Amino acid sequence: MRSPTRISSPQSSHPHSGSPGVHYSNPYEELAELADPYDPDDPLGLGPTSEDDDADLGGRRGKPVSSGSAEADDGEAWSPPNHRRASRRRRGRFKAVPRTAKALIGLLVLALLLVLGDRCAVMYAERQAEQELQKKLDLATAPNVTIHGFPFLTQVLGKHLQQVDIAVPDVAADRVSLAEVRAQAQGIRIVGDLPSSFRGAVVSRMKGDVLLSFEDLSRELGASQVRFRALGPSSVRADGKLPVAGQQVSLHAQAHIQRQGDRGISTSVTDMRLDIPGIASYRPGPEPRAGLYLHKKAATRISEDSEKARALLAIPSVAEKLGVPPAEAGQALNDGQKLDRITGSPRFVPALLAVNLVRAANDHPDLARKLGIDPMVAAALTRLKVPELTDKLELSFQLPKKAKGIRLANIGVSPEGIRADLVGAELNFGKTR
């Protein structure tokens, strides 16, 4: 076993030691002497941390404090740091803000509240107006109302609105529906008080437009078989299919837009034809324009087909319309060279295109078959009447009777559909007296 350390000291001796002059020391006391002196202001030895500590220490940072004394050099007794001081300082910072800044902040908050209240009032008024318009005009869909101008509440107090925009979708108009009606009302004088006792309004001036879309025309008039598109500034083209005697024929027509008074629009259908694809076209109506006429390609094929050419020349009325005398036509029936001279003439195809085959197809079914025309289809086409066909394509609409004082202007055709401007002045809505 290791013996305890002995340190000789001539000046001290342990009272219980057996030998004078021998001193036993404690090693932990020696380590304590090597450590930094204890600082009551920093008992954990962390050192200074912030400027707030300087304030808490009263400006004593950097001054040595005796470990054996309970007071600092300036005589002030040491006390633990007061952490509540920092929170009091933070609460006091708002008091340090100038009164002008506080007033500005307050005004800003008040302005935000006023704006929010004004916008809420606008939305409520717009909602009420939408419901009222839908009921008064008997609309299937509620319109979209937008009230312009700020602030709104001052306009209400003055009973005068600067501008109100209205958009109404799907307005019924006779056989079709208007895809969209847009109106901009300006200078609106309110009769009554909003919103409790509102009775009506007087609009100083109004402008807007209506759209009759081609998509709606195709769906409501063409029953998904006819498509409408713009043809010119005042014309519409209609193309589609029509069942005739169990066969689909192509339908083509033009509709010209015209004004019907100052509150309506109508169309007149012209240049209608029904095509048997690749063979002939039928134009309904009175002669001489109406009738069944071959296509140019079909006429060219007939001029090159001896059998079909002989079938045409065998009918005297047809040969006469082709400009072939009866005797010459009779010779061509048995003389191939004669037939080739007739059909090879540059005048044959144009003459054949001008021949109306309605009667020939009806009276000579075999001829119709040789030409590629179904006799039953040809007969059904001749029975079609112009009013029946145009009724499928003609359209008209009038503005609602309840929209008094509004008239149509500048009617035209756009890529989307038929458009017309709306104008009006001094319009009364509701009870204005």
Side-chain angles (χ1 to χ4, degrees):
M1 186 173 194
R2 187 176 180 181
S3 60
T5 304
R6 295 183 180 181
I7 301 176
S8 299
S9 176
Q11 300 175 351
S12 61
S13 61
H14 196 278
H16 302 287
S17 174
S19 302
V22 178
H23 175 69
Y24 293 89
S25 63
N26 188 343
Y28 297 103
E29 292 179 356
E30 295 179 0
L31 291 175
E33 291 177 358
L34 297 176
D36 292 336
Y38 173 74
D39 187 354
D41 292 329
D42 187 13
L44 299 178
L46 300 178
T49 59
S50 65
E51 295 179 357
D52 292 341
D53 294 335
D54 293 340
D56 290 338
L57 295 176
R60 291 180 292 142
R61 180 175 298 280
K63 294 182 181 181
V65 180
S66 174
S67 59
S69 173
E71 295 182 358
D73 294 343
D74 54 2
E76 181 181 352
W78 178 87
S79 62
N82 188 358
H83 296 289
R84 295 183 180 179
R85 252 182 232 175
S87 62
R88 285 198 299 269
R89 283 197 301 272
R90 285 191 292 269
R91 288 195 299 268
R93 287 173 185 171
F94 184 74
K95 296 182 180 179
V97 177
R99 292 183 178 180
T100 304
K102 294 179 183 179
L104 290 176
I105 294 173
L107 290 175
L108 179 60
V109 173
L110 179 60
L112 291 175
L113 292 175
L114 290 176
V115 170
L116 180 61
D118 190 83
R119 294 300 92 189
C120 289
V122 167
M123 290 189 291
Y124 176 77
E126 291 173 346
R127 178 63 176 170
Q128 293 296 109
E130 291 169 356
Q131 295 176 355
E132 190 69 19
L133 284 174
Q134 183 179 11
K135 182 174 64 175
K136 293 290 185 183
L137 298 179
D138 194 20
L139 301 175
T141 305
N144 183 20
V145 176
T146 303
I147 300 176
H148 294 272
F150 180 82
F152 169 70
L153 294 176
T154 58
Q155 297 183 70
V156 172
L157 294 176
K159 297 185 178 182
H160 187 276
L161 301 180
Q162 298 177 9
Q163 177 178 320
V164 176
D165 293 346
I166 304 171
V168 187
D170 298 328
V171 179
D174 200 4
R175 295 176 59 194
V176 295
S177 299
L178 299 177
E180 184 182 52
V181 178
R182 295 182 301 178
Q184 183 184 89
Q186 297 177 337
I188 305 165
R189 180 170 56 86
I190 299 172
V191 179
D193 297 323
L194 287 176
S196 57
S197 60
F198 174 76
R199 298 198 304 273
V202 179
V203 179
S204 299
R205 57 193 176 278
M206 190 211 72
K207 61 181 181 179
D209 64 83
V210 297
L211 170 65
L212 180 59
S213 72
F214 290 137
E215 183 178 353
D216 291 340
L217 285 176
S218 301
R219 182 180 64 253
E220 298 175 14
L221 287 184
S224 302
Q225 293 182 333
V226 179
R227 292 289 179 267
F228 294 84
R229 58 186 175 89
L231 183 62
S234 61
S235 299
V236 175
R237 173 94 176 189
D239 300 285
K241 298 290 184 180
L242 186 67
V244 176
Q247 183 174 333
Q248 292 286 336
V249 299
S250 300
L251 171 65
H252 306 281
Q254 294 183 18
H256 301 278
I257 311 302
Q258 56 192 10
R259 182 182 299 179
Q260 193 174 16
D262 59 357
R263 291 174 54 82
I265 294 176
S266 64
T267 60
S268 60
V269 178
T270 61
D271 195 24
M272 179 183 293
R273 74 179 192 272
L274 300 169
D275 288 342
I276 302 173
I279 301 173
S281 295
Y282 175 73
R283 297 181 183 274
E287 294 185 3
R289 181 174 177 80
L292 183 64
Y293 298 91
L294 292 171
H295 292 168
K296 186 175 181 179
K297 289 183 178 181
T300 302
R301 289 196 301 267
I302 291 172
S303 68
E304 298 171 352
D305 191 322
S306 300
E307 184 180 357
K308 293 180 180 179
R310 285 191 178 95
L312 286 172
L313 295 176
I315 302 173
S317 60
V318 175
E320 184 180 356
K321 291 179 180 179
L322 289 173
V324 181
E328 187 176 350
Q331 294 175 2
L333 295 178
N334 299 315
D335 188 344
Q337 294 182 353
K338 188 68 174 179
L339 179 64
D340 291 340
R341 283 197 298 269
I342 294 174
T343 57
S345 171
R347 294 177 296 178
F348 182 80
V349 171
L352 184 55
L353 293 175
V355 175
N356 187 350
L357 298 174
V358 169
R359 185 171 298 176
N362 290 335
D363 296 342
H364 305 277
D366 291 338
L367 171 64
R369 290 190 183 93
K370 287 181 179 181
L371 298 180
I373 302 173
D374 187 339
M376 298 194 60
V377 173
L381 289 174
T382 59
R383 290 193 296 268
L384 291 175
K385 304 301 181 182
V386 173
E388 297 175 359
L389 293 173
T390 57
D391 184 64
K392 299 178 182 296
L393 304 177
E394 285 183 338
L395 63 98
S396 63
F397 73 84
Q398 294 280 336
L399 292 175
K401 294 181 179 180
K402 294 182 179 181
K404 297 180 179 180
I406 302 176
R407 56 188 179 88
L408 296 170
N410 302 324
I411 300 172
V413 178
S414 69
E416 295 82 15
I418 302 172
R419 285 191 177 274
D421 292 338
L422 296 174
V423 293
E426 297 300 322
L427 307 176
N428 297 323
F429 292 92
K431 298 179 180 180
T432 57
R433 296 182 181 179

